[in-house]
Amino acid sequence: MNYLFDLGQILTNDECISLSQKVIDAYTSNNLPAETDTNYYKNSFGGNILENWELCDRFIPLVEEKTGLKVDVANPYCRIYHNESTLKPHIDRVGLDWTISVCLFTNLSSDWPLKVKVTNSNIEDFPTKVGFGSLVNGAKLEHWREPLQCNDNEYVIQLFLHYKEKI
């Protein structure tokens, strides 16, 4: 079974602009708190906006088509990454079997790819391109991003749509 898929562009630029503005609004009104789990994260802010639940529902057919499995929505989540942000190597917690990761916004001068360890000798990189997504079984495959090195005015907004396999 394949545990990762490059989905290509799954959100339009207009959708990304609208969603990223809502995330920024939540952040500037202190409704997107700093991540407190410093075992995995540093200098990032995470939370949710209502529209993300609708996106979870919208992409169920795509997840089921790619995986060949029936899934339910677990939860959506957004995160803003700033200079020196980290996402350390990890396996997702129980109940987050599959994740669509899609970039809503980036103004970085270079790419900041998601890395997925497929085998001991094979690591796949997924670029951080606005509107483009990857689908990863994060419960089985270790994944991470290298520490972000960018200017203080640069950042990334990433959306995660989590699904659990139906039993």
Side-chain angles (χ1 to χ4, degrees), residues 11-94:
L11 294 176
T12 67
N13 285 338
D14 286 344
E15 288 174 311
C16 292
I17 289 168
S18 175
L19 290 165
S20 63
Q21 186 58 56
K22 290 175 183 176
V23 174
I24 290 168
D25 291 346
Y27 172 69
T28 57
S29 62
N30 294 318
N31 290 321
L32 209 63
E35 291 290 352
T36 57
D37 183 355
T38 56
N39 290 322
Y40 295 102
Y41 310 105
K42 175 185 172 189
N43 201 26
S44 66
F45 297 80
N48 217 337
I49 58 173
L50 183 60
E51 290 80 2
N52 293 347
W53 287 97
E54 296 166 9
L55 285 174
C56 276
D57 290 336
R58 173 175 150 188
F59 287 114
I60 285 175
L62 177 62
V63 174
E64 291 181 341
E65 173 196 333
K66 292 292 185 184
T67 65
L69 301 167
K70 293 291 185 187
V71 297
D72 285 322
V73 171
N75 68 288
Y77 200 79
C78 280
R79 186 169 289 124
I80 299 177
Y81 296 98
H82 295 278
N83 186 35
E84 298 183 3
S85 286
T86 58
L87 176 62
K88 295 182 182 176
H90 68 285
I91 298 290
D92 289 340
R93 71 181 191 282
V94 173

Coordinates of all heavy atoms in Angstrom, one line a residue, residues 11-94:
L11 N -6.2 23.6 -4.0 CA -6.9 24.8 -3.6 C -6.5 25.9 -4.6 O -5.3 26.0 -5.0 CB -6.6 25.3 -2.2 CG -7.0 24.4 -1.1 CD1 -6.5 25.0 0.3 CD2 -8.5 24.3 -1.1
T12 N -7.4 26.7 -5.0 CA -7.1 27.8 -5.9 C -6.4 28.9 -5.2 O -6.4 29.0 -3.9 CB -8.4 28.4 -6.5 OG1 -9.2 29.1 -5.5 CG2 -9.3 27.4 -7.2
N13 N -5.8 29.8 -5.9 CA -5.1 31.0 -5.3 C -6.1 31.8 -4.5 O -5.8 32.3 -3.4 CB -4.4 31.8 -6.3 CG -3.1 31.2 -6.8 OD1 -2.5 30.3 -6.1 ND2 -2.7 31.5 -8.0
D14 N -7.3 32.0 -5.0 CA -8.3 32.8 -4.3 C -8.7 32.1 -3.0 O -8.9 32.8 -2.0 CB -9.5 33.0 -5.2 CG -9.3 34.0 -6.3 OD1 -8.3 34.8 -6.3 OD2 -10.1 34.1 -7.3
E15 N -8.9 30.8 -3.0 CA -9.2 30.1 -1.8 C -8.1 30.3 -0.8 O -8.3 30.5 0.4 CB -9.4 28.6 -2.1 CG -10.7 28.3 -2.8 CD -10.8 26.8 -3.2 OE1 -9.9 26.3 -3.7 OE2 -11.9 26.3 -2.9
C16 N -6.8 30.2 -1.2 CA -5.7 30.3 -0.3 C -5.6 31.7 0.3 O -5.3 31.9 1.5 CB -4.4 29.9 -1.0 SG -4.3 28.2 -1.4
I17 N -5.9 32.7 -0.6 CA -5.8 34.1 -0.1 C -6.9 34.3 1.0 O -6.7 34.9 2.1 CB -6.0 35.1 -1.3 CG1 -4.8 35.1 -2.1 CG2 -6.4 36.5 -0.7 CD1 -5.0 35.8 -3.5
S18 N -8.1 33.9 0.7 CA -9.2 34.0 1.7 C -9.0 33.3 3.0 O -9.1 33.9 4.1 CB -10.5 33.5 1.0 OG -11.6 33.5 2.0
L19 N -8.5 32.0 2.9 CA -8.3 31.2 4.1 C -7.1 31.8 4.9 O -7.1 31.9 6.1 CB -8.0 29.8 3.7 CG -9.2 29.0 3.2 CD1 -8.8 27.7 2.6 CD2 -10.2 28.8 4.4
S20 N -6.0 32.2 4.2 CA -4.8 32.7 4.9 C -5.2 34.0 5.6 O -4.7 34.3 6.7 CB -3.6 32.8 4.0 OG -3.8 33.7 3.0
Q21 N -6.0 34.8 5.0 CA -6.4 36.1 5.7 C -7.2 35.8 6.9 O -7.0 36.5 7.9 CB -7.2 37.0 4.7 CG -7.5 38.3 5.3 CD -6.3 39.1 5.7 OE1 -5.4 39.3 4.8 NE2 -6.1 39.5 6.9
K22 N -8.0 34.8 6.9 CA -8.8 34.4 8.1 C -7.8 33.9 9.2 O -8.0 34.2 10.4 CB -9.8 33.4 7.8 CG -11.0 34.0 7.0 CD -12.0 33.1 6.6 CE -13.0 33.9 5.7 NZ -14.0 33.1 5.1
V23 N -6.8 33.2 8.8 CA -5.8 32.7 9.8 C -5.0 33.9 10.4 O -4.8 34.0 11.6 CB -4.8 31.7 9.1 CG1 -3.7 31.3 10.1 CG2 -5.6 30.4 8.7
I24 N -4.6 34.8 9.5 CA -3.9 36.0 10.0 C -4.8 36.8 10.9 O -4.3 37.3 11.9 CB -3.4 36.8 8.8 CG1 -2.3 36.1 8.0 CG2 -2.9 38.2 9.2 CD1 -1.9 36.6 6.7
D25 N -6.1 37.0 10.6 CA -7.0 37.7 11.4 C -7.1 37.0 12.8 O -7.0 37.7 13.8 CB -8.4 37.8 10.8 CG -8.4 38.7 9.6 OD1 -7.5 39.4 9.4 OD2 -9.4 38.6 8.9
A26 N -7.1 35.7 12.8 CA -7.2 35.0 14.1 C -5.8 35.2 14.9 O -5.9 35.4 16.1 CB -7.4 33.5 13.9
Y27 N -4.7 35.2 14.2 CA -3.4 35.4 14.8 C -3.3 36.8 15.4 O -2.9 37.0 16.5 CB -2.3 35.1 13.8 CG -0.9 35.5 14.2 CD1 -0.3 34.7 15.2 CD2 -0.3 36.5 13.6 CE1 1.0 35.1 15.6 CE2 1.0 36.9 14.0 CZ 1.6 36.1 15.0 OH 2.9 36.4 15.3
T28 N -3.7 37.8 14.6 CA -3.5 39.2 15.1 C -4.5 39.6 16.2 O -4.3 40.5 16.9 CB -3.7 40.2 13.9 OG1 -4.9 40.0 13.3 CG2 -2.5 40.0 12.9
S29 N -5.6 38.8 16.3 CA -6.5 39.0 17.4 C -6.3 38.1 18.6 O -7.2 37.9 19.4 CB -8.0 38.9 16.9 OG -8.2 37.6 16.4
N30 N -5.1 37.5 18.6 CA -4.7 36.5 19.7 C -5.6 35.3 19.8 O -5.7 34.8 20.9 CB -4.6 37.3 21.0 CG -3.5 38.3 21.0 OD1 -2.4 38.0 20.4 ND2 -3.8 39.5 21.5
N31 N -6.2 34.9 18.7 CA -7.0 33.7 18.7 C -6.3 32.5 18.1 O -6.9 31.4 17.8 CB -8.3 33.9 18.0 CG -9.2 34.8 18.8 OD1 -9.3 34.7 20.0 ND2 -9.9 35.7 18.1
L32 N -5.0 32.6 17.9 CA -4.1 31.5 17.4 C -2.9 31.5 18.3 O -2.0 32.2 18.1 CB -3.7 31.9 15.9 CG -3.5 30.7 15.0 CD1 -4.7 29.9 14.8 CD2 -3.0 31.2 13.7
P33 N -3.0 30.7 19.3 CA -2.0 30.7 20.4 C -0.6 30.1 19.9 O -0.6 29.3 19.0 CB -2.6 29.8 21.5 CG -3.6 28.9 20.8 CD -4.1 29.7 19.6
A34 N 0.4 30.4 20.6 CA 1.7 29.9 20.4 C 1.7 28.4 20.7 O 1.0 28.0 21.7 CB 2.8 30.6 21.2
E35 N 2.4 27.6 20.0 CA 2.5 26.1 20.3 C 3.2 25.9 21.6 O 4.3 26.6 21.8 CB 3.2 25.4 19.1 CG 2.4 25.4 17.8 CD 1.2 24.5 17.9 OE1 1.0 23.7 18.9 OE2 0.4 24.5 16.9
T36 N 2.7 25.1 22.4 CA 3.3 24.9 23.7 C 4.1 23.6 23.8 O 4.9 23.5 24.7 CB 2.2 24.9 24.8 OG1 1.3 23.9 24.5 CG2 1.5 26.3 24.9
D37 N 3.9 22.7 22.9 CA 4.6 21.5 22.9 C 6.0 21.7 22.2 O 6.2 21.5 21.0 CB 3.9 20.4 22.1 CG 4.5 19.0 22.1 OD1 5.7 18.9 22.7 OD2 3.9 18.1 21.6
T38 N 6.9 22.1 23.0 CA 8.3 22.5 22.5 C 9.1 21.2 22.2 O 10.2 21.3 21.7 CB 9.0 23.4 23.5 OG1 9.1 22.7 24.8 CG2 8.4 24.7 23.6
N39 N 8.6 20.0 22.5 CA 9.3 18.8 22.0 C 9.3 18.7 20.5 O 10.2 18.1 19.9 CB 8.6 17.6 22.6 CG 8.8 17.4 24.1 OD1 9.8 17.8 24.6 ND2 7.8 17.0 24.8
Y40 N 8.3 19.3 19.9 CA 8.1 19.2 18.4 C 8.2 20.5 17.7 O 8.5 20.6 16.5 CB 6.9 18.4 18.0 CG 6.9 17.0 18.5 CD1 6.2 16.6 19.6 CD2 7.7 16.0 17.8 CE1 6.3 15.3 20.0 CE2 7.7 14.7 18.2 CZ 7.0 14.3 19.3 OH 7.1 13.1 19.8
Y41 N 7.7 21.5 18.4 CA 7.5 22.8 17.7 C 8.3 23.9 18.4 O 8.6 23.9 19.6 CB 6.0 23.2 17.7 CG 5.1 22.2 17.3 CD1 4.3 21.4 18.2 CD2 5.0 21.9 15.9 CE1 3.5 20.4 17.7 CE2 4.1 20.9 15.5 CZ 3.4 20.1 16.4 OH 2.5 19.2 16.0
K42 N 8.6 25.0 17.6 CA 9.2 26.2 18.2 C 8.8 27.3 17.3 O 8.8 27.2 16.0 CB 10.7 26.0 18.1 CG 11.5 27.3 18.6 CD 13.0 27.1 18.4 CE 13.7 28.4 18.7 NZ 15.1 28.3 18.4
N43 N 8.4 28.4 17.9 CA 8.1 29.7 17.2 C 7.1 29.5 16.1 O 7.2 30.0 15.0 CB 9.4 30.3 16.6 CG 9.2 31.8 16.3 OD1 8.4 32.4 16.9 ND2 10.0 32.3 15.3
S44 N 6.0 28.8 16.5 CA 4.8 28.7 15.6 C 3.6 28.9 16.3 O 3.5 28.7 17.6 CB 4.8 27.3 14.8 OG 4.6 26.3 15.7
F45 N 2.5 29.2 15.6 CA 1.2 29.5 16.3 C 0.2 28.6 15.5 O 0.2 28.5 14.3 CB 0.9 30.9 16.1 CG 1.8 31.8 16.8 CD1 3.1 32.1 16.3 CD2 1.5 32.3 18.1 CE1 4.0 33.0 16.9 CE2 2.4 33.1 18.8 CZ 3.7 33.4 18.2
G46 N -0.7 28.0 16.3 CA -1.6 27.0 15.7 C -3.0 27.2 16.3 O -3.3 27.6 17.4
G47 N -4.0 26.7 15.4 CA -5.4 26.8 15.8 C -6.3 26.4 14.6 O -5.8 25.8 13.7
N48 N -7.5 26.9 14.7 CA -8.4 26.5 13.7 C -9.3 27.7 13.3 O -9.5 28.6 14.1 CB -9.2 25.4 14.2 CG -9.5 24.4 13.1 OD1 -9.5 24.8 11.9 ND2 -9.8 23.2 13.4
I49 N -9.9 27.6 12.1 CA -11.0 28.5 11.7 C -12.1 27.6 11.1 O -11.9 26.5 10.7 CB -10.5 29.5 10.6 CG1 -9.9 28.7 9.4 CG2 -9.5 30.4 11.2 CD1 -9.6 29.6 8.2
L50 N -13.3 28.1 11.2 CA -14.5 27.3 10.9 C -14.4 26.7 9.5 O -14.8 25.5 9.3 CB -15.7 28.2 11.1 CG -17.1 27.5 10.8 CD1 -17.3 26.4 11.8 CD2 -18.2 28.5 11.0
E51 N -14.0 27.5 8.5 CA -14.0 27.0 7.1 C -13.2 25.7 6.9 O -13.4 25.0 6.0 CB -13.4 28.1 6.2 CG -14.4 29.3 6.0 CD -14.3 30.3 7.2 OE1 -13.5 30.1 8.2 OE2 -15.1 31.2 7.2
N52 N -12.2 25.5 7.8 CA -11.4 24.3 7.7 C -12.2 23.0 7.8 O -11.8 22.0 7.2 CB -10.2 24.3 8.7 CG -9.3 25.4 8.4 OD1 -9.3 26.0 7.3 ND2 -8.4 25.7 9.4
W53 N -13.2 23.0 8.6 CA -14.1 21.8 8.8 C -14.7 21.5 7.5 O -14.9 20.3 7.1 CB -15.1 22.0 9.9 CG -14.5 22.0 11.2 CD1 -14.1 23.0 12.0 CD2 -14.1 20.8 12.0 NE1 -13.5 22.6 13.2 CE2 -13.5 21.2 13.2 CE3 -14.2 19.4 11.7 CZ2 -13.0 20.3 14.2 CZ3 -13.8 18.5 12.7 CH2 -13.2 19.0 13.9
E54 N -15.2 22.5 6.7 CA -15.8 22.3 5.4 C -14.8 21.7 4.4 O -15.2 20.9 3.6 CB -16.4 23.6 4.9 CG -17.5 24.2 5.7 CD -17.8 25.7 5.4 OE1 -17.3 26.2 4.4 OE2 -18.6 26.3 6.2
L55 N -13.6 22.2 4.5 CA -12.5 21.6 3.6 C -12.3 20.1 3.9 O -12.1 19.3 3.0 CB -11.2 22.4 3.7 CG -11.2 23.8 3.1 CD1 -9.9 24.5 3.4 CD2 -11.4 23.6 1.6
C56 N -12.3 19.8 5.2 CA -12.1 18.4 5.6 C -13.2 17.5 4.9 O -12.9 16.5 4.3 CB -12.2 18.2 7.1 SG -10.7 18.5 8.0
D57 N -14.4 18.0 5.0 CA -15.5 17.2 4.3 C -15.4 17.2 2.8 O -15.6 16.1 2.2 CB -16.9 17.9 4.7 CG -17.3 17.7 6.1 OD1 -16.8 16.7 6.8 OD2 -18.1 18.5 6.6
R58 N -15.0 18.3 2.2 CA -14.8 18.4 0.8 C -13.8 17.4 0.2 O -14.0 16.8 -0.9 CB -14.4 19.8 0.4 CG -14.0 20.0 -1.0 CD -13.7 21.5 -1.2 NE -12.7 21.7 -2.3 CZ -12.2 22.9 -2.5 NH1 -12.6 24.0 -1.8 NH2 -11.4 23.1 -3.5
F59 N -12.7 17.1 1.0 CA -11.7 16.2 0.5 C -11.8 14.8 0.9 O -10.9 14.0 0.6 CB -10.3 16.8 0.9 CG -10.0 18.1 0.1 CD1 -9.9 19.3 0.7 CD2 -9.8 18.0 -1.3 CE1 -9.6 20.4 0.0 CE2 -9.5 19.1 -2.0 CZ -9.4 20.4 -1.4
I60 N -12.8 14.4 1.6 CA -13.0 13.0 1.9 C -13.0 12.1 0.7 O -12.2 11.1 0.7 CB -14.3 12.7 2.8 CG1 -14.1 13.2 4.2 CG2 -14.7 11.3 2.7 CD1 -15.4 13.1 5.0
P61 N -13.7 12.4 -0.4 CA -13.7 11.6 -1.6 C -12.2 11.4 -2.2 O -11.9 10.4 -2.6 CB -14.6 12.3 -2.6 CG -15.5 13.1 -1.7 CD -14.7 13.5 -0.5
L62 N -11.4 12.5 -2.1 CA -10.1 12.4 -2.6 C -9.2 11.5 -1.8 O -8.5 10.7 -2.3 CB -9.5 13.8 -2.7 CG -8.0 13.9 -3.1 CD1 -7.8 13.4 -4.6 CD2 -7.5 15.3 -3.0
V63 N -9.3 11.6 -0.5 CA -8.6 10.7 0.4 C -9.0 9.3 0.2 O -8.1 8.4 0.1 CB -8.8 11.2 1.9 CG1 -8.1 10.2 2.8 CG2 -8.2 12.6 2.1
E64 N -10.3 9.0 0.1 CA -10.7 7.7 -0.1 C -10.3 7.1 -1.5 O -9.9 5.9 -1.6 CB -12.2 7.6 0.1 CG -12.7 7.8 1.5 CD -14.2 7.8 1.7 OE1 -14.9 7.9 0.7 OE2 -14.6 7.6 2.9
E65 N -10.3 8.0 -2.5 CA -9.8 7.5 -3.8 C -8.4 7.2 -3.8 O -8.0 6.1 -4.3 CB -10.1 8.6 -4.8 CG -9.5 8.3 -6.2 CD -9.4 9.6 -7.1 OE1 -10.2 10.5 -6.9 OE2 -8.5 9.6 -8.0
K66 N -7.6 8.0 -3.2 CA -6.1 7.8 -3.2 C -5.7 6.6 -2.3 O -4.8 5.8 -2.7 CB -5.4 9.0 -2.7 CG -5.4 10.2 -3.6 CD -4.7 9.9 -4.9 CE -4.7 11.2 -5.8 NZ -4.0 10.9 -7.1
T67 N -6.4 6.4 -1.2 CA -6.0 5.4 -0.2 C -6.7 4.1 -0.4 O -6.2 3.0 0.0 CB -6.2 5.8 1.2 OG1 -7.6 6.0 1.4 CG2 -5.5 7.1 1.5
G68 N -7.9 4.1 -1.1 CA -8.7 2.9 -1.2 C -9.4 2.5 0.1 O -9.9 1.4 0.2
L69 N -9.4 3.5 1.0 CA -10.0 3.2 2.4 C -11.1 4.2 2.6 O -11.2 5.3 2.1 CB -8.9 3.4 3.5 CG -7.7 2.5 3.4 CD1 -6.6 3.1 4.3 CD2 -8.0 1.1 3.7
K70 N -12.0 3.8 3.5 CA -13.1 4.7 4.0 C -12.5 5.5 5.2 O -11.8 4.9 6.0 CB -14.3 3.9 4.4 CG -15.0 3.3 3.3 CD -15.7 4.3 2.4 CE -16.5 3.7 1.3 NZ -16.9 4.7 0.3
V71 N -12.8 6.8 5.2 CA -12.2 7.6 6.3 C -13.3 8.5 6.8 O -14.3 8.8 6.2 CB -11.0 8.5 5.8 CG1 -9.9 7.6 5.4 CG2 -11.4 9.4 4.7
D72 N -13.1 9.0 8.1 CA -13.9 10.0 8.7 C -13.0 11.2 9.0 O -11.8 11.0 9.1 CB -14.5 9.5 10.1 CG -15.6 8.6 9.9 OD1 -16.5 8.8 9.0 OD2 -15.7 7.6 10.7
V73 N -13.6 12.3 9.1 CA -12.8 13.5 9.5 C -12.3 13.4 11.0 O -13.1 13.0 11.8 CB -13.7 14.8 9.4 CG1 -13.0 16.0 10.0 CG2 -14.0 15.1 7.9
A74 N -11.1 13.6 11.2 CA -10.6 13.7 12.6 C -10.6 15.1 13.1 O -11.3 15.5 14.0 CB -9.2 13.1 12.7
N75 N -9.9 16.0 12.4 CA -9.9 17.4 12.7 C -9.0 18.2 11.7 O -8.1 17.6 11.1 CB -9.5 17.7 14.1 CG -8.0 17.5 14.3 OD1 -7.6 16.3 14.4 ND2 -7.2 18.5 14.4
P76 N -9.3 19.5 11.5 CA -8.4 20.3 10.7 C -7.6 21.1 11.7 O -7.9 21.2 12.9 CB -9.4 21.3 10.0 CG -10.5 21.4 10.9 CD -10.6 20.1 11.7
Y77 N -6.5 21.7 11.2 CA -5.6 22.5 12.0 C -4.8 23.4 11.1 O -4.4 23.0 10.0 CB -4.7 21.6 12.8 CG -4.1 22.3 14.0 CD1 -4.8 22.5 15.2 CD2 -2.8 22.8 14.0 CE1 -4.3 23.1 16.3 CE2 -2.2 23.4 15.1 CZ -3.0 23.6 16.3 OH -2.4 24.2 17.4
C78 N -4.5 24.7 11.5 CA -3.7 25.6 10.8 C -2.5 26.0 11.7 O -2.6 26.0 12.9 CB -4.4 26.9 10.5 SG -5.4 26.8 9.1
R79 N -1.3 26.2 11.0 CA -0.2 26.7 11.8 C 0.5 27.7 11.0 O 0.7 27.6 9.8 CB 0.7 25.5 12.1 CG 1.9 25.9 13.0 CD 2.7 24.7 13.5 NE 1.9 23.9 14.4 CZ 1.6 22.7 14.3 NH1 2.0 21.9 13.4 NH2 0.9 22.1 15.3
I80 N 1.0 28.8 11.7 CA 1.8 29.8 11.1 C 3.3 29.6 11.6 O 3.5 29.5 12.8 CB 1.4 31.2 11.5 CG1 0.0 31.5 11.0 CG2 2.4 32.3 10.9 CD1 -0.5 32.9 11.4
Y81 N 4.2 29.4 10.7 CA 5.6 29.2 11.0 C 6.4 30.5 10.7 O 6.3 31.1 9.6 CB 6.2 28.1 10.1 CG 5.5 26.7 10.3 CD1 4.6 26.3 9.5 CD2 6.0 25.9 11.4 CE1 4.0 25.0 9.7 CE2 5.4 24.7 11.6 CZ 4.5 24.2 10.7 OH 3.9 23.0 10.9
H82 N 7.2 30.9 11.7 CA 8.1 32.1 11.6 C 9.5 31.6 11.6 O 9.8 30.4 11.7 CB 7.8 33.0 12.8 CG 6.4 33.6 12.8 ND1 6.1 34.7 12.0 CD2 5.3 33.2 13.5 CE1 4.8 34.9 12.3 NE2 4.3 34.1 13.1
N83 N 10.4 32.6 11.4 CA 11.9 32.3 11.5 C 12.2 31.5 12.7 O 11.7 31.7 13.8 CB 12.6 33.6 11.5 CG 14.1 33.4 11.4 OD1 14.6 32.5 10.7 ND2 14.9 34.2 12.1
E84 N 13.0 30.5 12.4 CA 13.5 29.5 13.5 C 12.4 28.5 13.9 O 12.6 27.8 14.9 CB 14.1 30.2 14.6 CG 15.4 31.0 14.2 CD 16.1 31.6 15.4 OE1 15.7 31.4 16.6 OE2 17.1 32.3 15.2
S85 N 11.3 28.5 13.2 CA 10.2 27.5 13.6 C 10.8 26.1 13.3 O 11.6 25.9 12.4 CB 9.0 27.6 12.7 OG 8.2 28.8 13.1
T86 N 10.3 25.2 14.1 CA 10.7 23.8 13.9 C 9.5 22.9 13.9 O 8.4 23.2 14.4 CB 11.6 23.3 15.1 OG1 10.9 23.4 16.3 CG2 12.9 24.0 15.2
L87 N 9.6 21.8 13.2 CA 8.7 20.7 13.2 C 9.6 19.5 13.2 O 10.1 19.0 12.2 CB 7.8 20.7 12.0 CG 6.8 19.5 11.9 CD1 5.9 19.4 13.1 CD2 6.0 19.5 10.6
K88 N 9.8 18.9 14.4 CA 10.8 17.8 14.5 C 10.2 16.5 14.0 O 9.0 16.4 13.9 CB 11.2 17.7 16.0 CG 12.0 18.9 16.5 CD 12.4 18.8 17.9 CE 13.1 20.1 18.4 NZ 13.4 20.0 19.8
P89 N 11.1 15.6 13.7 CA 10.7 14.3 13.2 C 9.7 13.6 14.2 O 9.9 13.6 15.4 CB 11.9 13.5 13.1 CG 13.0 14.5 12.9 CD 12.6 15.7 13.7
H90 N 8.6 13.1 13.6 CA 7.5 12.5 14.5 C 6.6 11.6 13.7 O 6.5 11.7 12.5 CB 6.7 13.6 15.2 CG 5.9 14.4 14.3 ND1 6.4 15.4 13.5 CD2 4.5 14.4 14.1 CE1 5.4 15.9 12.8 NE2 4.2 15.3 13.1
I91 N 5.9 10.8 14.4 CA 4.8 10.0 13.9 C 3.5 10.7 14.6 O 3.5 11.0 15.7 CB 4.9 8.6 14.3 CG1 6.2 7.9 13.8 CG2 3.6 7.8 14.0 CD1 6.1 7.7 12.3
D92 N 2.4 10.8 13.8 CA 1.2 11.4 14.3 C 0.6 10.6 15.4 O 0.7 9.3 15.4 CB 0.2 11.7 13.2 CG 0.7 12.9 12.3 OD1 1.6 13.7 12.8 OD2 0.2 13.0 11.2
R93 N -0.2 11.2 16.3 CA -0.8 10.5 17.4 C -2.0 9.6 16.8 O -2.4 9.8 15.7 CB -1.4 11.5 18.4 CG -2.5 12.3 18.0 CD -2.9 13.3 19.1 NE -4.2 13.9 18.9 CZ -4.4 15.0 18.1 NH1 -3.4 15.5 17.4 NH2 -5.6 15.5 18.0
V94 N -2.4 8.7 17.6 CA -3.5 7.8 17.3 C -4.7 8.6 16.9 O -5.1 9.6 17.6 CB -3.8 6.8 18.5 CG1 -5.0 6.0 18.2 CG2 -2.6 6.0 18.8

